Amino acid sequence: MRRKRSRFSRLGTLSIALLLALCVTGVGYAAWTDEVSIDGTANLGYVEVVLSSGACSDPQITCSVSAPHTLVVTLTDAQPGTYTCGFTITNTGTIPVKIQNIAVSVVPAGVEVSVLGVTEGTQIEQAGVYPDSFDGMVIVTMQESCEGTFSVNVVFSFVQWNMYIE
Amino acid sequence: MTRLARLKTQVRPGRWLIIALVAVVAFSSVGITYARMQGGPQNKGLVPCCCDPFTWVVSNDDGTENNVNPYMIIDPGDDGGGTGYDRWGAQSSDDPSGPQTMGVECDRYDKDVARTTAWISEDYLEITVLVENAYPSYYPTVFFALTCPDSALGTITGIVMDNDFPDALTVSTSGIYPGQPIPQGEEVTGAVHVHVEQAAAQNAIYMFKVSIATECQPAVTCGTAYAYHADYATCFLDLGFTKWGWTNGPLGPGSYEFQLWAGAADCDTSKGRLVGQLTVDYDGSTAVVTYNIYEGNWMTATHLYVGSNRLPRGKGGSETVSPGQYPYVHDPLNNVTTDRYTVTGLSGNIYVVAHAVVCWSG
């Protein structure tokens, strides 16, 4: 029985010695190794453009904005002549934008639509920085009278300034 | 049945061994975990370490061209301007549109829309990079330098990129690589490049982390050391030789203790390093010479002369101070801290010239 006790004692001592040795090894490892880091946070900006309609030249013409960037110009019982409707494009985002495209929907025969004030490629700076907005005008020229109502859609598309494709 | 007897029947010694081994692994893990939790060694206390590993950091879009000695301008073009648009004023520059190489201008847009700043933590273990108002194709670079303590040689053992949004951000490093040495007393420079991809979402916040594992080992310096006794030493230079060192004598029978000085150029101990001591026990016919080196130092060779002349004789018969020509040599020695010679056949007064090649960390 005594011999057994002695064996346990030796085993325990050996184990404790090993424990301590390896702990020291671990701490020693601490002494000679290191880890440094580069921690990054990237906050993205955003593109946000607001299109708003302005005053129109005659009672026969009205305009409104349809999401996201469509100006809906409506004429009622229009007579030959020129009608205009104003609009404003404002960059309310944090990134400068350019107008990538201005598309006018199909119009009836004898009707011409043009846009003044902005063109494709016009750059609108971010909010708070001049020029962060542009005033423009849609001009509808009627060659002949047109009874009833028809609408013309002028659709603007925008991209961040460095993504503009010429 | 006694408790021990029950224990004997219930738990065999082999099981104890398994338990002990498990505990060994667990406790060694504790030690290594401690190493990790320490965030690396500290520049105080007794722990030698890679201290203040980041020495500087430079962003190439914070509006300042940084002149870092000895590299000159790190980030040319980061001049605080905004050619066509200047959101940040002097706090940022025209936005980088491509990766930058240290000291070389990179492609930039003509607008200052985004900004990148970077700074080092107080413990120099972490660099924080903050990219603001970024957008697809924005491409800032952050330069940095890593070093080890002056007394250590370092190695970059690993670089781990942690980027949960690879579709939105491409983060890469340049200038550093696993296995790259960090020379003693020098620094290595690297860069982190961040490219915002088209898939990046507006108003999003993306995080990334570059972990750089380093290892620092103390540099070893070795020097030649000679025994010196203020009462008996004569400098080799005073004997017409061009090398420093001492012969000690004449010594009659008795016990003597000498200092071992390394690097004491011109026999000036104020220029040297006291690395140990030498004892000589001389009974009139036999001398026992023992080298004992202080902790933190070790020997790779010893050369000894003991004789009735002030210096040993070389191959041509003339006096020499070259250790390689001393009559008693232990070379090489396996980084020992003690060495002993027993020289017999002596008589009368003797001289001792004891040389050692001693090394130490740092």
Side-chain angles (χ1 to χ4, degrees), chain A residues 8 15 22 29-34 36-47 94 123 126 160-163, chain B residues 16 20 24 36 41 48 50 85 109 111 126-127 129 131 133-137 198 202-204 206 208 210 212 214 216:
Chain A
F8 282 127
S15 299
L22 288 181
Y29 173 79
W32 301 111
T33 64
D34 202 353
V36 296
S37 64
I38 300 166
D39 295 287
T41 303
N43 297 303
L44 273 289
Y46 61 98
V47 170
T94 64
Q123 183 161 308
Q126 71 166 85
Q160 68 182 44
W161 99 98
N162 62 326
M163 292 291 116
Chain B
W16 278 109
V24 162
R36 292 291 184 190
C50 278
Y85 169 73
Y109 295 116
K111 294 186 181 304
E126 183 178 304
I127 287 175
V129 177
V131 181
N133 201 41
Y135 52 88
S137 296
Q198 291 299 318
Q202 298 187 39
N203 270 332
Y206 300 110
F208 64 87
V210 183
I212 304 169
T214 60
C216 292

Side-chain angles (χ1 to χ4, degrees), chain B:
Chain B
M1 185 178 282
T2 65
R3 280 185 66 187
L4 195 54
R6 283 199 300 271
L7 186 66
K8 177 189 169 188
T9 57
Q10 292 170 4
V11 182
R12 291 190 299 263
R15 189 168 299 176
W16 278 109
L17 191 59
I18 292 170
I19 293 170
L21 286 173
V22 169
V24 162
V25 172
F27 273 71
S28 60
S29 300
V30 167
I32 292 172
T33 302
Y34 166 77
R36 292 291 184 190
M37 290 176 66
Q38 288 295 301
Q42 305 299 306
N43 190 16
K44 44 186 176 287
L46 300 176
V47 184
C49 60
C50 278
C51 315
D52 304 347
F54 282 126
T55 51
W56 53 263
V57 64
V58 166
S59 163
N60 77 337
D61 195 23
D62 62 359
T64 303
E65 288 183 331
N66 294 90
N67 190 337
V68 178
N69 188 35
Y71 311 105
M72 308 299 282
I73 301 292
I74 299 292
D75 52 346
D78 187 12
D79 55 9
T83 306
Y85 169 73
D86 197 6
R87 169 182 174 144
W88 298 97
Q91 297 178 0
S92 182
S93 305
D94 278 338
D95 292 341
S97 59
Q100 186 163 21
T101 300
M102 196 169 83
V104 181
E105 289 205 34
C106 66
D107 292 335
R108 290 176 184 266
Y109 295 116
D110 65 352
K111 294 186 181 304
D112 176 14
V113 174
R115 176 174 75 161
T116 296
T117 49
W119 60 91
I120 301 177
S121 61
E122 287 186 358
D123 59 8
Y124 295 91
L125 290 168
E126 183 178 304
I127 287 175
T128 302
V129 177
L130 178 60
V131 181
E132 296 172 273
N133 201 41
Y135 52 88
S137 296
Y138 180 55
Y139 212 146
T141 296
V142 171
F143 301 97
F144 60 86
L146 264 175
T147 189
C148 269
D150 288 345
S151 60
L153 300 168
T155 306
I156 295 174
T157 54
I159 302 170
V160 176
M161 184 71 65
D162 185 7
N163 177 12
D164 290 338
F165 310 98
D167 292 339
L169 288 184
T170 298
V171 183
S172 60
T173 59
S174 63
I176 57 171
Y177 55 89
Q180 182 177 7
I182 306 173
Q184 182 182 358
E186 297 180 22
E187 59 187 18
V188 296
T189 59
V192 173
H193 312 279
V194 180
H195 186 224
V196 182
E197 302 293 345
Q198 291 299 318
Q202 298 187 39
N203 270 332
I205 298 176
Y206 300 110
M207 317 280 279
F208 64 87
K209 180 170 188 168
V210 183
S211 299
I212 304 169
T214 60
E215 238 176 44
C216 292
Q217 296 178 338
V220 173
T221 303
C222 294
T224 192
Y226 281 96
Y228 168 84
H229 193 298
D231 297 333
Y232 300 106
T234 301
C235 180
F236 295 160
L237 300 172
D238 295 334
L239 300 176
F241 294 92
T242 56
K243 294 179 180 176
W244 74 275
W246 296 280
T247 178
N248 295 275
L251 307 175
S255 295
Y256 302 88
E257 192 170 286
F258 301 80
Q259 295 174 329
L260 274 170
W261 285 93
D266 303 325
C267 295
D268 183 353
T269 54
S270 69
K271 298 177 181 175
R273 172 185 174 93
L274 185 58
V275 294
Q277 64 178 24
L278 183 98
T279 58
V280 175
D281 293 309
Y282 176 45
D283 64 5
S285 61
T286 299
V288 177
V289 179
T290 306
Y291 292 75
N292 284 304
I293 300 300
Y294 294 147
E295 187 176 346
N297 304 274
W298 60 90
M299 294 183 291
T300 59
T302 56
H303 306 84
L304 177 70
Y305 164 76
V306 180
S308 55
N309 297 317
R310 63 181 187 176
L311 289 171
R313 301 280 176 179
K315 292 174 183 171
S318 57
E319 289 183 324
T320 182
V321 296
S322 299
Q325 296 187 49
Y326 297 178
Y328 309 107
V329 175
H330 290 167
D331 186 6
L333 289 172
N334 188 23
N335 302 333
V336 298
T337 57
T338 186
D339 193 24
R340 176 171 291 185
Y341 291 86
T342 300
V343 181
T344 57
L346 302 171
S347 63
N349 291 335
I350 58 171
Y351 290 82
V352 174
V353 181
H355 171 265
V357 178
V358 180
C359 302
W360 59 90
S361 298

Side-chain angles (χ1 to χ4, degrees), chain A residues 6-69:
Chain A
S6 174
R7 183 183 296 175
F8 282 127
S9 177
R10 282 201 302 272
L11 199 57
T13 303
L14 181 64
S15 299
I16 290 170
L18 278 170
L19 295 181
L20 292 175
L22 288 181
C23 281
V24 168
T25 300
V27 175
Y29 173 79
W32 301 111
T33 64
D34 202 353
E35 183 171 296
V36 296
S37 64
I38 300 166
D39 295 287
T41 303
N43 297 303
L44 273 289
Y46 61 98
V47 170
E48 184 178 80
V49 180
V50 174
L51 173 66
S52 56
S53 59
C56 295
S57 59
D58 296 278
Q60 287 86 356
I61 183 170
T62 60
C63 62
S64 61
V65 173
S66 173
H69 297 129

